[in-house]
Amino acid sequence: FLYFIGREIRSMAAAADDANPQGERVVDATNRGIDDLDLGVWIAFTGATCFARTALQHPFVLACARRQACEDLARVSSWALLRDFRRAHGGSWRVMYRGFPALAFGMVTSEIVYMWAYEWLRNPSGPSPLAQIAPSVDGAPSSHFLDASAGFAADASTTIGQVPFFFIANRQMCAGLGSAR
């Protein structure tokens, strides 16, 4: 299945090259590299979207963390838990974001590091160490190998940095429950 998708994408890229009579390089999703990006804008956009996503889902992350920390809450729905938690703290929405600063910092930082590492490692024409060891397909490093290996390596590089922030956020979200005191 992936073979056919890759073949189709390569044929679309070839058609785009044929459609350009001046011989200029056409940049699209199949051949874009880190060199084609405005890094400042790209990092800002990545950070902003990650922050927004984390802010939107944080109340449910809070509910899940509290349900996992307390057996009594295991059978309560997330909506009911959030409603009761908010009422118990004076109706403030601020309490719904307990642990958010640590979680947001860890998420945004790891997302930026992940995306940068992934783009840098998958760049076949750059100084990527993966390009040196990638199997060759038609005289160029295998894009499937580069994409998969870059994803694994980028994920490993961010896990080390984000886990401490998740521990801090989880501790803050579960404050006042059982062993989290």
Side-chain angles (χ1 to χ4, degrees):
F1 178 72
L2 292 176
Y3 169 78
F4 293 111
I5 290 174
R7 191 174 73 183
E8 187 63 29
I9 289 173
R10 283 192 296 278
S11 69
M12 289 174 14
D17 289 341
D18 293 341
N20 186 3
Q22 289 83 18
E24 296 174 9
R25 182 169 172 251
V26 176
V27 178
D28 60 18
T30 62
N31 65 2
R32 175 196 47 78
I34 197 165
D35 300 332
D36 300 313
L37 301 173
D38 180 344
L39 286 179
V41 171
W42 183 64
I43 287 172
F45 183 74
T46 301
T49 56
C50 182
F51 183 86
R53 181 186 71 228
T54 304
L56 289 172
Q57 70 189 25
H58 187 75
F60 293 101
V61 172
L62 173 75
C64 290
R66 292 186 74 82
R67 289 174 72 192
Q68 290 172 353
C70 183
E71 282 185 39
D72 297 340
L73 300 175
R75 290 187 172 81
V76 177
S77 74
S78 295
W79 285 110
L81 189 144
L82 291 171
R83 182 191 64 230
D84 295 343
F85 185 64
R86 190 170 152 242
R87 285 181 187 161
H89 290 84
S92 170
W93 280 97
R94 185 174 179 202
V95 73
M96 304 298 273
Y97 285 89
R98 183 182 282 182
F100 177 72
L103 186 65
F105 183 80
M107 289 294 291
V108 169
T109 304
S110 68
E111 184 87 5
I112 290 171
V113 169
Y114 175 87
M115 293 303 288
W116 180 84
Y118 176 75
E119 289 294 335
W120 180 73
L121 288 168
R122 72 180 280 272
N123 188 0
S125 61
S128 169
L130 294 177
Q132 310 305 319
I133 62 170
S136 180
V137 176
D138 297 329
S142 167
S143 63
H144 300 299
F145 175 85
L146 287 176
D147 290 346
S149 300
F152 290 131
D155 190 48
S157 70
T158 59
T159 301
I160 295 166
Q162 72 184 190
V163 169
F165 292 103
F166 291 157
F167 280 126
I168 293 167
N170 223 351
R171 185 81 173 167
Q172 292 171 345
M173 289 185 284
C174 296
L177 290 175
S179 63
R181 290 183 186 154

